[in-house]
Amino acid sequence: MKKTNLILIALMALIFVSCSEDETTMSMPKDNAIEFGTYLGRDAQTRASVLTTKTMATDGFGVFAYYTDQVKWDEYSSKGTANFMDNLKVTSKTNGATWTYSPIKYWPNNDGAMVTFLAYAPWVEGKTITEEAKVNFKVENSIKAQTDLVWNTENHIDAKKDKLSGNVNFKFNHALARIGLKLEAAVDKVDAGGRLDKNTTITVNSVTLGSTLKDSIEVKQFYTGGTLDLTKTTAVWDPVEGMQAFVFNTTNGNLQNNVIKGASHINAKQLNTDDSYLMV
């Protein structure tokens, strides 16, 4: 009796997006208006949902700013209310050469006055900030709907106009890891001719990543979301919440050529698209 085994191989390349500073844009202040410049850590591969300067120029980044007068940030008690800029959307029509927003905000005139600037991207309508100066982020279960997340790591706590020459430059780093996936299938044993029987069809309908069985109970291994501290220079997710697994199938567009029919597939055959990534 002939025996045919299908071996499914999942190859995962964990790709942490880089934080190089080779992409820089700046703008000069006009009068007393606050203007923005950006530094964006750029990944060598710009496929999938990784945020770039070009996409951020269109989608915008969000700014939470606090006018604290002469009260230092550590002593400021109303961090859940951004009283100067509340999720202000900043965009660019010049692919990041200059950035604009409305309405224009101006530096306070009183001596010693301080403003604290926090920022994230891409901008999300209705995004709020917590009393601990954190923002919530949801990791979409639908692979097609997943987005990147970056936040400013340049220290603009207790900022003063004279220290910044009037211009606020943000340095955005990536808060998520991008996992690249390559799903392959191969036939382990076939008939003497090295081919499947012409009437044999093997179809891979779906592949689940991040799900195991322990004592017959499914254990999921990826978080569904968390809160990111916008004041930190390294990604601090606290707290995190929920657990989930991810499914690759033909519906979400990640599986292609998923049918093996009447031909030799002793060598591994790739089943998914090249741009199959998870942002987690």
Side-chain angles (χ1 to χ4, degrees):
M1 179 181 293
K2 294 182 295 183
K3 182 179 180 181
T4 302
N5 295 329
L6 182 68
I7 302 175
L8 183 64
I9 309 166
L11 304 177
M12 294 187 295
L14 183 60
I15 306 171
F16 289 94
V17 288
S18 65
C19 297
S20 61
E21 298 178 13
D22 55 354
E23 190 165 327
T24 305
T25 60
M26 297 183 65
S27 57
M28 296 304 295
K30 298 177 181 178
D31 300 322
N32 209 36
I34 297 174
E35 296 197 357
F36 297 111
T38 65
Y39 301 80
L40 176 62
R42 183 173 61 187
D43 186 79
Q45 301 181 65
T46 57
R47 295 177 296 174
S49 51
V50 170
L51 190 70
T52 65
T53 297
K54 183 176 180 180
T55 55
M56 189 164 67
T58 301
D59 297 338
F61 61 86
V63 179
F64 293 98
Y66 302 77
Y67 168 63
T68 62
D69 199 359
Q70 298 187 33
V71 179
K72 289 188 174 296
W73 176 254
D74 289 342
E75 301 170 358
Y76 189 68
S77 60
S78 300
K79 297 175 182 177
T81 303
N83 62 353
F84 195 60
M85 297 179 180
D86 187 7
N87 195 32
L88 182 69
K89 185 178 184 180
V90 183
T91 59
S92 174
K93 295 182 179 180
T94 57
N95 288 330
T98 56
W99 297 87
T100 59
Y101 64 92
S102 180
I104 298 296
K105 294 288 186 176
Y106 297 88
W107 286 98
N109 290 321
N110 46 321
D111 292 338
M114 296 177 289
V115 180
T116 289
F117 296 92
L118 308 175
Y120 76 97
W123 178 83
V124 177
E125 184 175 3
K127 178 73 74 176
T128 58
I129 195 164
T130 71
E131 288 294 338
E132 296 80 22
K134 300 177 182 180
V135 292
N136 295 316
F137 181 79
K138 178 184 178 182
V139 179
E140 295 290 345
N141 189 256
S142 171
I143 299 169
K144 279 187 174 182
Q146 289 187 338
T147 61
D148 197 3
L149 176 67
V150 299
W151 89 109
N152 169 57
T153 59
E154 193 74 13
N155 185 3
H156 292 314
I157 304 294
D158 299 331
K160 298 180 181 180
K161 178 187 176 183
D162 58 338
K163 299 294 184 181
L164 297 175
S165 299
N167 194 72
V168 180
N169 288 314
F170 290 129
K171 176 184 176 183
F172 288 104
N173 284 344
H174 296 266
L176 304 174
R178 183 177 73 166
I179 300 178
L181 295 165
K182 186 176 182 181
L183 306 176
E184 295 184 340
V187 176
D188 184 29
K189 294 181 179 180
V190 294
D191 59 306
R195 303 178 67 85
L196 291 176
D197 183 273
K198 65 179 181 179
N199 295 317
T200 300
T201 298
I202 300 174
T203 303
V204 180
N205 292 315
S206 66
V207 176
T208 301
L209 179 66
S211 176
T212 60
L213 287 178
K214 184 177 181 180
D215 299 328
S216 300
I217 299 175
E218 183 182 16
V219 179
K220 298 179 180 180
Q221 300 176 348
F222 290 100
Y223 294 118
T224 59
T227 56
L228 177 68
D229 192 333
L230 295 185
T231 68
K232 304 299 184 182
T233 57
T234 57
V236 177
W237 292 94
D238 183 30
V240 291
E241 57 190 43
M243 301 302 289
Q244 64 182 328
F246 299 102
V247 177
F248 290 81
N249 54 37
T250 54
T251 301
N252 63 30
N254 294 105
L255 283 187
Q256 64 176 3
N257 302 321
N258 63 319
V259 177
I260 299 174
K261 183 177 181 180
S264 175
H265 284 95
I266 297 177
N267 296 323
K269 173 187 178 182
Q270 184 172 337
L271 303 178
N272 64 313
T273 57
D274 287 332
D275 59 350
S276 298
Y277 295 98
L278 290 178
M279 304 296 296
V280 292

